Amino acid sequence: MFVYFITMTEEKKDTEQTIKEAAKKIFLVNGLKGARMQAIADEAGINRAMLHYYFRTKDKLFEVIFSDAMTEMNQRMGAIITSDLPILKKIEHFVHGYSESAISNPEFDLFIINEFRQNPTYFDEMMKTSNAGTVIKGFASEIEKAIDKKEIVGNPNQIFLSIIALCIFPFAAKTMVRTMLGHSEKQYTKLLEERKDFLMQFIIKAITP
Amino acid sequence: MFVYFITMTEEKKDTEQTIKEAAKKIFLVNGLKGARMQAIADEAGINRAMLHYYFRTKDKLFEVIFSDAMTEMNQRMGAIITSDLPILKKIEHFVHGYSESAISNPEFDLFIINEFRQNPTYFDEMMKTSNAGTVIKGFASEIEKAIDKKEIVGNPNQIFLSIIALCIFPFAAKTMVRTMLGHSEKQYTKLLEERKDFLMQFIIKAITP
DNA sequence: GTCTATACTCGGATAGAC
DNA sequence: GTCTATCCGAGTATAGAC
């Protein structure tokens, strides 16, 4: 009897984890509205009813997946930004770190941009409660300080916006850019790999006095 | 009888145009799948059945709206890029021209990025048949020539990608960036206005030898 | 051309047997 | 915990009266 209970618990954990991984995959590609419970079930190798048994509703499942993804993201970015380094080094770390994580998670950027757009108030709330807001504001204020110290030149918000644009856009608009350039998947991956170094040159030239 | 016929024709044209404008508005914000026929009907001040009477299906309506929007876009961009100017002037015109058109049509960028992603083959085809491909390739090859002539430095594809990233991202990711910066709609609009000039400084510094 | 009513399909959610 | 069957709402599309 006891053994049976343990087994059930472990199986439950496994199934829950399997569902989460499947759901993450499907939600990242299709968004909340675009994702189909059937697709998640197929991906997890179970049937739809199981999804509801474990997570009650589609919205609740999404909520879990999404806050997990955000937490993971914040931790990664936070570690880079809050490190104790001169501004150019910090930007370099940010650019490299961001590119690395985006390469292994290429759907994330466009997903976030779209979900933000569709539910601004939800994210507004989240920015206040999570540490994402702190991390970003920290980075922005570091840029501001560096401008005051004449280490770099320009408007802080514009510089911040430009850095994230240069990092994020190639992933968010991947399909569009690939089509525009007429690149294969492989060619474009190479472009993104090489971009890590290109970007540092580009950004440093643009913002040093 | 003749008068009646004319009237019908004109009314048909008006209704058709009204529907198109309403559909454009709704599709741009919600995408093909996200848009509701009821929302388009409401926007146009008619009922759903009329939409089907004029355009048969949702997909067909979308197709019409979409190719119109692309054509308009291509013409605007084409005029800027194919003008006979030195490369830095041409980039300046592109940046300003793009920003202007994006400010008056802020939903367009994210819409295109998403629809591209959801139907890559359709766009692949369109790039070949329309003049969009030619326009883009023209711009890219101008950059390449300028690099050969040592007027600017860097990898042509990376430079092209960087320029469009800097232009498009602030509009495509508007809601996200606004939330990140904690800006009001008004503050963000001001940022975008000022960005036109900031960007030229930024880009020129980054790519001149 | 325009409207109302209705058919049909898809997808999320629940009931109930095992 | 897991499955099958079923419900129910939403949304596209059509029929048919005017």
Side-chain angles (χ1 to χ4, degrees), chain B residues 3-193:
Chain B
V3 171
Y4 180 70
F5 174 73
I6 293 290
T7 305
M8 280 299 104
T9 307
E10 282 173 351
E11 270 172 14
K12 184 179 172 183
K13 272 219 173 93
D14 284 350
T15 308
E16 213 174 288
Q17 196 51 36
T18 308
I19 292 175
K20 276 175 152 191
E21 280 158 24
K24 186 177 175 184
K25 198 167 165 183
I26 302 296
F27 278 134
L28 277 174
V29 175
N30 301 290
L32 169 55
K33 282 189 308 189
R36 294 286 156 257
M37 293 297 265
Q38 184 62 60
I40 296 172
D42 291 348
E43 181 72 31
I46 55 167
N47 65 51
R48 270 175 303 166
M50 279 286 89
L51 298 179
H52 289 99
Y53 176 79
Y54 280 96
F55 295 92
R56 193 83 185 145
T57 69
K58 186 185 180 183
D59 282 356
K60 288 216 173 53
L61 175 55
F62 179 80
E63 167 69 33
V64 171
I65 300 311
F66 182 76
S67 66
D68 276 11
M70 283 305 283
T71 306
E72 191 192 321
M73 170 96 175
N74 284 336
Q75 283 169 350
R76 218 163 21 194
M77 289 300 101
I80 294 162
I81 292 171
T82 60
S83 67
D84 191 20
L85 289 166
I87 187 73
L88 289 183
K89 268 285 166 206
K90 196 169 282 191
I91 291 174
E92 184 173 341
H93 273 222
F94 176 82
V95 171
H96 266 85
Y98 198 93
S99 301
E100 291 291 355
S101 87
I103 283 171
S104 60
N105 223 341
E107 318 289 356
F108 194 75
D109 294 321
L110 184 55
F111 170 76
I112 295 288
I113 290 170
N114 277 317
E115 297 304 321
F116 248 100
R117 191 178 180 301
Q118 279 158 36
N119 208 337
T121 41
Y122 173 79
F123 284 81
D124 225 20
E125 212 48 52
M126 206 205 54
M127 286 298 269
K128 281 174 200 150
T129 54
S130 88
N131 71 328
T134 323
V135 168
I136 291 161
K137 289 229 182 297
F139 191 34
S141 83
E142 293 257 6
I143 290 172
E144 206 157 346
K145 272 190 275 175
I147 290 169
D148 288 344
K149 286 193 273 176
K150 316 264 190 224
E151 290 167 5
I152 60 179
V153 291
N155 171 290
N157 285 333
Q158 297 289 0
I159 290 176
F160 173 73
L161 175 50
S162 300
I163 291 172
I164 65 171
L166 290 166
C167 289
I168 297 177
F169 184 82
F171 294 94
K174 178 181 161 178
T175 311
M176 184 180 83
V177 178
R178 260 192 60 198
T179 308
M180 279 178 166
L181 295 175
H183 276 188
S184 67
E185 182 73 39
K186 207 172 168 181
Q187 281 176 304
Y188 197 69
T189 305
K190 188 159 166 268
L191 186 79
L192 291 175
E193 266 302 333

Side-chain angles (χ1 to χ4, degrees), chain A residues 89 91-93 95-97 99-100 103 166-167 190-205, chain B residues 154-155 158 162 206:
Chain A
K89 268 285 165 206
I91 292 174
E92 185 174 341
H93 274 221
V95 171
H96 267 85
S99 301
E100 291 291 354
I103 283 171
L166 291 165
C167 289
K190 188 158 167 270
L191 186 79
L192 291 176
E193 266 301 332
E194 293 170 354
R195 189 167 177 78
K196 283 182 270 179
D197 294 323
F198 168 86
L199 268 190
M200 271 319 294
Q201 306 295 323
F202 189 91
I203 293 171
I204 288 176
K205 279 189 74 178
Chain B
N155 171 290
Q158 297 289 0
S162 300

Side-chain angles (χ1 to χ4, degrees), chain B residues 88 91-92 95-96 196-204:
Chain B
L88 289 183
I91 291 174
E92 184 173 341
V95 171
H96 266 85
K196 283 182 271 180
D197 294 322
F198 168 85
L199 268 189
M200 271 320 292
Q201 305 296 323
F202 189 90
I203 294 171
I204 288 176

Side-chain angles (χ1 to χ4, degrees), chain A residues 43 50 75 177:
Chain A
E43 181 71 31
M50 279 285 90
Q75 283 169 349
V177 178

Side-chain angles (χ1 to χ4, degrees), chain A residues 114-139:
Chain A
N114 277 316
E115 297 304 321
F116 249 99
R117 190 179 181 301
Q118 279 158 36
N119 207 337
T121 41
Y122 173 78
F123 285 80
D124 225 20
E125 212 48 51
M126 204 207 52
M127 286 299 268
K128 282 175 200 147
T129 53
S130 89
N131 71 328
T134 323
V135 168
I136 290 161
K137 289 229 183 299
F139 190 35

